[in-house]
Amino acid sequence: MNESVFQEALREIQSRRIRAEAENERRYAEINAKIPPIAEINAQLALTSTRIVEILRGGEDVQDRLEALRRQNEQGQQISARLLVENGYPADYLDMHYTCEKCQDTGYSGGSLCDCLRRRIAAAGIARMNRTAQLKLCDFSGFSLEYYKNRTSPDGEDCYTAMKKVFNGCLHYAETFSLASPSLLFYGSSGLGKTHLSLSIAKAVIDKGYDVIYDSVINLLGQVEKEHFGRGDADADTLSLLLEADLLILDDLGAEFTTPFYVSTVYNIINTRLNRGLPTIISTNLDIASIHQSYEERIVSRLFAVYECYHFIGADIRLLKKKSSPARF
Ligand SMILES: Nc1ncnc2c1ncn2[C@@H]1O[C@H](COP(=O)(O)OP(=O)(O)O)[C@@H](O)[C@H]1O
Ligand SMILES: [Mg+2]
Ligand SMILES: [Zn+2]
């Protein structure tokens, strides 16, 4: 883990605690000024520790007197809550309200890092990765179905009809995304919009507040490999981020040179995320036969049996756009 990322995440969590405490003080001041009987109760409650010390010093009937003090405080709190409600406030208005109740915004719970701090650290790592991936986010509005009109695939399928289904499927996927969403496989030759639709989904899902990692398989595996063989940032843990992101988008599977390390890492990612029930989107320019050649049966069978498959068909849109743009002199 990167030290500065850790420190920054911890500072963010602890500033939540400072904000919660400041807000709590503000509420006390507000209510003490507005509702004098509560101010009186609060003044009594504030004396509790002094009175405990007195009782302990006195040394007589300690248990009984502590019990009486406890009951008195409890009554005071009940009255205070009732008065709050009578004055139009929530009964817990004067309680501390932390963003994370589990660690009370300290970042630590039960002697280890709290989930809220872990999530913050992961989010920082993901933001950094997407920056380096130069995530230029396409969106659905820039996607036109015109390019697929009046074309038939070699299998005799109407491209427009098929791609309309693909487009609507992606739109629906993005709109209804949750951690329970299925994994998707985009396959078909290059220039048909696989990257464009992957990025459109990425953008929509990021906007919903999920942690999304998008990059090409080459870049991501290169990063994992560097760290694995000790040549990367010693604290970086890209593999963990890939295994834990809410949505992982691996673009261009099959464009990489398949070493045993890459094949086993891809398998590990696909398998671990399936086991954790986390959605993944993989796109590839390879056809089914070529995927079979590059990757082992155990990977291919998961991709086609468990992932929802979207077959992209049509003509290379990069070329179509070039042809239709006016010639430049
Ligand atoms: N349906 C579409 N409408 C508009 N532009 C598209 C469409 N499909 C692809 N493009 C554009 O064509 C180029 C190639 O598309 P891309 O998504 O990279 O294809 P693939 O990933 O399938 O190889 C990109 O600039 C992309 O924005
Ligand atoms: Mg692509
Ligand atoms: Zn926490």
Side-chain angles (χ1 to χ4, degrees):
M1 196 192 306
N2 186 303
E3 184 61 19
S4 65
V5 168
F6 174 80
Q7 289 301 342
E8 197 181 316
L10 185 60
R11 256 201 308 281
E12 161 62 23
I13 300 290
Q14 292 180 342
S15 73
R16 290 178 187 167
R17 184 179 167 89
I18 292 168
R19 276 201 300 276
E21 285 168 353
E23 171 63 10
N24 187 251
E25 267 179 42
R26 190 198 64 71
R27 290 183 178 196
Y28 265 95
E30 174 193 356
I31 295 300
N32 285 344
K34 255 193 197 163
I35 314 174
I38 295 187
E40 229 166 87
I41 292 171
N42 287 338
Q44 287 303 313
L45 290 173
L47 290 175
T48 299
S49 48
T50 316
R51 293 180 61 190
I52 289 177
V53 172
E54 282 168 11
I55 292 171
L56 293 176
R57 282 232 184 90
E60 271 168 45
D61 306 327
V62 171
Q63 286 311 322
D64 290 348
R65 291 179 64 200
L66 283 178
E67 176 59 21
L69 176 63
R70 194 189 61 75
R71 245 179 296 137
Q72 198 186 340
N73 280 355
E74 210 174 71
Q75 271 173 8
Q77 269 157 347
Q78 279 165 5
I79 295 169
S80 162
R82 209 189 59 227
L83 287 169
L84 281 171
V85 173
E86 281 173 12
N87 283 274
Y89 289 94
D92 67 353
Y93 192 68
L94 290 177
D95 294 354
M96 284 296 296
H97 295 281
Y98 298 106
T99 306
C100 174
E101 293 297 339
K102 194 171 153 200
C103 71
Q104 304 198 327
D105 296 343
T106 59
Y108 292 89
S109 145
S112 54
L113 301 193
C114 183
D115 290 339
C116 68
L117 180 55
R118 284 181 197 284
R119 273 199 304 276
R120 233 9 259 183
I121 292 167
I126 287 169
R128 199 184 43 198
M129 280 177 47
N130 286 342
R131 256 202 313 280
T132 59
Q134 290 170 329
L135 191 67
K136 67 165 178 41
L137 297 167
C138 297
D139 54 25
F140 288 111
S141 63
F143 191 86
S144 162
L145 285 168
E146 290 298 315
Y147 295 108
Y148 308 97
K149 273 190 178 155
N150 304 318
R151 288 178 198 283
T152 311
S153 79
D155 299 334
E157 241 189 302
D158 178 53
C159 298
Y160 177 78
T161 313
M163 290 306 295
K164 195 174 171 181
K165 256 192 219 154
V166 167
F167 175 73
N168 286 334
C170 290
L171 199 59
H172 181 255
Y173 185 88
E175 278 169 357
T176 59
F177 181 85
S178 78
L179 293 182
S181 290
S183 293
L184 311 179
L185 175 68
F186 293 170
Y187 69 105
S189 49
S190 76
L192 297 182
K194 297 183 297 298
T195 297
H196 191 117
L197 284 183
S198 306
L199 286 171
S200 306
I201 293 176
K203 179 176 163 45
V205 175
I206 288 170
D207 286 348
K208 280 174 172 257
Y210 288 100
D211 292 332
V212 179
I213 297 179
Y214 164 89
D215 207 344
S216 68
V217 176
I218 295 185
N219 285 348
L220 291 175
L221 290 193
Q223 189 62 33
V224 172
E225 188 183 31
K226 257 204 305 199
E227 289 163 18
H228 182 79
F229 293 106
R231 284 181 281 117
D233 177 350
D235 295 318
D237 191 356
T238 303
L239 184 60
S240 299
L241 292 179
L242 300 183
L243 296 177
E244 287 165 15
D246 296 335
L247 174 63
L248 170 65
I249 303 182
L250 295 176
D251 202 12
D252 252 342
L253 178 75
E256 71 284 3
F257 181 66
T258 48
T259 65
F261 179 79
Y262 279 15
V263 173
S264 73
T265 305
V266 168
Y267 178 74
N268 179 13
I269 293 171
I270 291 175
N271 211 34
T272 306
R273 292 184 59 85
L274 279 178
N275 287 340
R276 292 184 179 171
L278 289 171
T280 310
I281 298 176
I282 295 182
S283 78
T284 178
N285 291 339
L286 301 178
D287 53 26
I288 300 179
S290 314
I291 302 178
H292 267 284
Q293 266 172 18
S294 309
Y295 281 95
E296 302 163 27
E297 181 54 32
R298 56 184 186 151
I299 293 181
V300 180
S301 62
R302 274 178 177 70
L303 287 182
F304 285 97
V306 189
Y307 279 43
E308 271 180 24
C309 298
Y310 286 70
H311 191 188
F312 283 61
I313 51 178
D316 190 331
I317 288 166
R318 265 185 219 102
L319 297 181
L320 294 182
K321 282 190 170 176
K322 247 188 214 158
K323 272 191 206 153
S324 64
S325 65
R328 266 176 281 170
F329 296 99

